[in-house]
Amino acid sequence: MMVEGSSLVKSPLVHLVLVVVTIAIVGCGNNQNVLEAASSEEVSATSSYSPVVEVILPGGLGLCTGTFISPRAVLTAAHCTLHGGSYTIYSSFGMFTTSQRSVLGPGLVNDPNDIAVLVFDHDVADPAQGQVMALGDAPHVGNQIRIVGFGCNDLDAKTGAGVKRTGTNRLMAVTDYLELDTTPNQRLLDSHRNAHGILGPSNQAGSCFGDSGGPMMQSQGNSVKLVGVTHAGGWGTQYIISQYVNLNRGDNVNFLHDVDRNYSLNLYTGCWNSDEPEACGPSSAGFRIFSYFTRIWAKILSFF
């Protein structure tokens, strides 16, 4: 794939560090046959997917999207975490701040390692309430995926950022990235106006400013799991292209294992990794042990 004339577009809502999400992509050879729509479901605002959160950069320098992958860690894009200072996380279950981050890539265009983890000193998300998402296995071309983000709904006007939206698509290509294509209507082809971000005809969803760091998800087993992170997007010769960091790429996997070990996040051993719906609920092992000792103490106290 060649990138010609990579003129970066600035958003009034998103500072320079976020321009990676929209690059001028020209002449990509893998976009001759767009896959059929993943579903008839229309892209829409949503209050679901509570692990997916809004990330505000230090000093309000920009807006990104992230996903809780541990009760005290949010996965996002490296280019969203280039500033020192306090990052603010807005979620459906509260607002949290942290200045602690672990970053893999330099956060540049053509960076297949564009991921970072924001870490909290204590648990802030509750797996039992579905507020944490597990990491999944690698998806394949043609698989149905879902994306969620707080980005804009217009590539030119850059409006609508800050509203959580969701849509589906089919994976178009697996290269250094996980790639999606969105077919614009004729008006968009003629004018490049009103190009929708997480929006597409017959729901071929794609990304826009502010979706950076957001999740590509896939149903695996009995749950939805995280397989990619929003990196970049832009116009091809015929289609709107969205690129996602492949979380199952070897160097990205190694980074996540290192972060897991360094911060004891239980990314691969937490209850949220189980395909059993009740794994994080009242019947989980930890809760059963707690309940057992509670009953024992109750019996002891009853003798006094």
Side-chain angles (χ1 to χ4, degrees):
M1 179 186 299
M2 293 186 62
V3 179
E4 302 177 3
S6 55
S7 56
L8 300 179
V9 183
K10 297 182 181 179
S11 165
L13 294 171
V14 184
H15 198 262
L16 182 60
V17 295
L18 298 186
V19 295
V20 177
V21 78
T22 301
I23 58 178
I25 300 177
V26 180
C28 290
N30 65 333
N31 299 307
Q32 300 305 311
N33 297 293
V34 173
L35 295 168
E36 65 180 9
S39 70
S40 59
E41 170 195 346
E42 290 300 323
V43 178
S44 61
T46 181
S47 58
S48 299
Y49 309 102
S50 56
V52 184
V53 297
E54 191 174 2
V55 180
I56 304 299
L57 278 60
L61 289 177
L63 175 153
C64 281
T65 302
T67 308
F68 270 103
I69 56 173
S70 161
R72 57 189 188 91
V74 169
L75 180 65
T76 188
H79 74 265
C80 294
T81 60
L82 300 183
H83 287 273
S86 182
Y87 289 79
T88 302
I89 305 299
Y90 289 98
S91 74
S92 60
F93 47 92
M95 182 188 78
F96 316 100
T97 60
T98 183
S99 58
Q100 190 168 217
R101 67 194 193 282
S102 185
V103 184
L104 177 57
L108 302 174
V109 174
N110 295 331
D111 173 19
N113 307 130
D114 186 24
I115 52 174
V117 179
L118 299 171
V119 183
F120 300 90
D121 292 330
H122 60 279
D123 290 359
V124 295
D126 184 359
Q129 300 297 319
Q131 295 166 359
V132 178
M133 186 175 296
L135 300 172
D137 298 326
H140 303 286
V141 171
N143 285 172
Q144 177 173 326
I145 56 84
R146 177 175 293 279
I147 57 179
V148 180
F150 287 87
C152 59
N153 59 12
D154 189 305
L155 282 174
D156 288 335
K158 306 169 187 71
T159 57
V163 177
K164 183 189 285 189
R165 297 178 178 82
T166 184
T168 62
N169 205 332
R170 291 191 184 278
L171 190 59
M172 183 66 190
V174 178
T175 56
D176 282 339
Y177 306 94
L178 305 175
E179 296 190 357
L180 303 178
D181 282 0
T182 300
T183 309
N185 59 36
Q186 191 59 49
R187 181 182 177 187
L188 299 183
L189 289 172
D190 291 340
S191 65
H192 284 200
R193 297 295 302 176
N194 301 320
H196 293 290
I198 291 200
L199 204 58
S202 301
N203 204 5
Q204 295 171 333
S207 60
C208 191
F209 290 97
D211 292 326
S212 287
M216 172 186 284
M217 305 178 293
Q218 185 184 31
S219 293
Q220 297 182 0
N222 294 322
S223 60
V224 174
K225 296 185 178 180
L226 183 61
V227 297
V229 168
T230 310
H231 165 62
W235 281 90
T237 51
Q238 294 177 296
Y239 311 112
I240 300 169
I241 303 162
S242 301
Q243 292 181 327
Y244 289 73
V245 175
N246 186 351
L247 294 180
N248 285 278
R249 178 181 158 120
D251 42 8
N252 295 331
V253 171
N254 290 339
F255 166 74
L256 290 169
H257 276 284
D258 287 343
V259 173
D260 181 39
R261 181 175 57 254
N262 292 340
Y263 293 101
S264 301
L265 298 178
N266 297 317
L267 298 184
Y268 302 94
T269 58
C271 64
W272 58 93
N273 291 281
S274 172
D275 281 334
E276 298 299 324
E278 69 278 4
C280 286
S283 61
S284 65
F287 187 86
R288 289 197 300 271
I289 293 172
F290 174 79
S291 298
Y292 171 77
F293 283 107
T294 299
R295 290 195 299 271
I296 293 296
W297 277 109
K299 283 185 175 293
I300 292 174
L301 293 173
S302 69
F303 289 104
F304 294 93

